[in-house]
Amino acid sequence: MTQVTERGTRLPGAPRAGVRRRSPAAAACVVGGAVAAGLGLGFLAVLVIVLWISSPYPDSGPGGALHLAAGLWLLAHGTELLRYETLSGVPAPVGVTPLLLVALPVLLLRRAVRLGGASDEEDEEVLPATAVFSAVLCGYLAVGALATVYAAGGPMPADPISAAWHVPLVAVPAAAGGVWGAKGRPLGPLPNWLPGGLRRGFVRPRYALALRAGAGGALVLLGGGALLVGASLAWHGAQVQASFLSLTGVWSGRFAVLLLAVALVPNAMVWGAAYALGPGFALGGEVTATPLGFAGAPALPRFPLLEALPAAGPGTPLTWAAAGVPVVTGLAVGWFAVRRAREVSYGETALTAALGALVCGVVTAGLAAASAGPLGSRRLAEFGPVWWATGAAAFAWTLVLAVPVAVGVHAWRYRPAEGPVAVDADTPVDDGWHDSGVREIRWEAMRRASGTLVPEIVAEPVAPPVPPEVEVAEVAAVAAAPAVPARRAVTVVSGLDLGPVAPPVAPPVPPVAPPVPPVVGVRVLSRRKPPA
């Protein structure tokens, strides 16, 4: 103790409040986000390297293949790539994102967030949702920045400005969805920093029902687009096969074309939905394919999915039949918008259907914007559906059809129950059953089975008909006579043996309270008289 006092050795004290302790869980979340980005890059790198090795005419070395893989990873986030090897020498942008590739970073990010928010041991630190979200996102975006720099030296570099906002645009919703899934998908109250009126409004069940109806309508619309694309591919099967075989003669090239076509199938579904809605989709050179007509686009490259386009010329009844897709979509939105509660008014049901139509239009507009983009310059600068026109058409179709369908379904589902007409209690009911003799037959059968317990039904004597003059006189006499209280008729049944009569039961005797023991040692004071 004296040594410690003399030498001035410092004892370990409590950490200061201003110094923050480093959290190993936060560092693990940052690493998890970086690993998620690395796995996506690695998957595409392996795929590109395999195709490069199997290609008989490789254009560049393995470095170029790795640079191309980094560019494809950025393209999966919606980033535009630049293609310098063109006939005109002008760089051509490539901005059509295969929507199937977007699922790769989304799934990896959700997995990283869910692993970062889980804990296997009791004493392990559990970070809040906001900390997990921020840490995973930081690691992922750091790898995205490095991939952008690395892809700049390849054959198809990424546009840095496009990558700066497209990569976070995909990463932020995916990470937020992962946090929400890790917390058990709670549907509790909104955060306190939102306005009170907005939080109270979203508590109403109409908004959840409108989201469900709009999402269901969007799925029906995409399913209709997929049906149109599949039917058109089957109709133009010979052209599709010839285009696939003419692109390349080696199996590695055909495998690459097949992979690209499969990755673009979701885009084709959205384009088919836009075609059925009416606005159609642009194919460059101010050419748009709609059900009312298609002028043709001779500048299109040879590709199997593009061979499924309708024939050039005005529309036919076969192309007009595509309007059945938005009709079914409007019916689906109206059906899903009906709440299972009798006390809901017709105005509330109509408002819910209108909100569902708005949700369907917004979702369709977002999908149209994600599926479109440039495939080159000049004629191919616009390729795909116009997002605002497609969203407006989806909203208009579903609004016109969903509101009356929802009101009609609500009225039919909660219509008043049909039953017998209510009659007066004093009015005799003539239902034909009592007059058909069935009652007497059943009563006689019960009497025979029970012996003498059931009495026999005695037919009431029928009075002879009274002339009208006598009946009028009797009525007058009855009206003039004083009112006499009616006596109830008593029917005495003879021979009814009910067995021995039970003796009367004596009423229960209340329990007697036990005697109070005498009090010993009590002093009795005499009462004094009050002074006069």
Side-chain angles (χ1 to χ4, degrees), residues 210-211 213-215 330 333-334 337 350-364 391-392 394-403:
L211 287 175
V333 172
L351 180 59
T352 305
L355 291 176
L358 180 61
V359 171
C360 181
V362 171
V363 172
T364 306
F395 172 68
W397 275 100
T398 51
L399 181 65
V400 170
L401 295 171
V403 173

Side-chain angles (χ1 to χ4, degrees), residues 28-47:
C29 290
V30 174
V31 174
V35 169
L39 288 176
L41 280 168
F43 175 78
L44 293 177
V46 170
L47 185 62

Side-chain angles (χ1 to χ4, degrees), residues 119-341:
S119 60
D120 298 334
E121 301 178 0
E122 296 182 357
D123 56 345
E124 188 177 354
E125 181 185 6
V126 179
L127 295 178
T130 55
V132 174
F133 171 79
S134 303
V136 173
L137 205 59
C138 286
Y140 193 88
L141 294 181
V143 176
L146 295 177
T148 305
V149 176
Y150 182 76
M156 296 181 64
D159 185 8
I161 299 178
S162 178
W165 69 278
H166 275 101
V167 175
L169 186 63
V170 174
V172 170
V179 170
W180 183 60
K183 296 301 179 181
R185 298 179 177 87
L187 297 175
L190 296 177
N192 295 329
W193 50 268
L194 291 176
L198 184 62
R199 286 188 282 110
R200 287 190 299 270
F202 271 92
V203 173
R204 298 179 180 177
R206 84 160 66 107
Y207 297 104
L209 198 61
L211 287 175
R212 187 189 70 174
L219 289 178
V220 172
L221 189 60
L222 289 179
L227 182 63
L228 291 179
V229 172
S232 184
L233 286 174
W235 186 269
H236 302 86
Q239 294 88 336
V240 172
Q241 182 180 4
S243 175
F244 179 76
L245 296 177
S246 63
L247 284 176
T248 179
V250 295
W251 70 270
S252 59
R254 292 178 179 176
F255 183 67
V257 172
L258 179 62
L259 288 180
L260 182 57
V262 171
L264 287 173
V265 166
N267 300 62
M269 294 169 56
V270 179
W271 296 357
Y275 180 84
L277 288 171
F281 50 90
L283 294 172
E286 299 181 357
V287 176
T288 304
T290 63
L292 299 179
F294 177 48
L300 291 178
R302 299 290 301 274
F303 194 71
L305 287 180
L306 295 178
E307 298 297 331
L309 293 173
T316 60
L318 188 61
T319 60
W320 300 338
V325 174
V327 170
V328 176
T329 302
L331 297 179
V333 172
W335 177 269
F336 290 133
V338 180
R339 194 185 311 171
R340 297 185 178 274

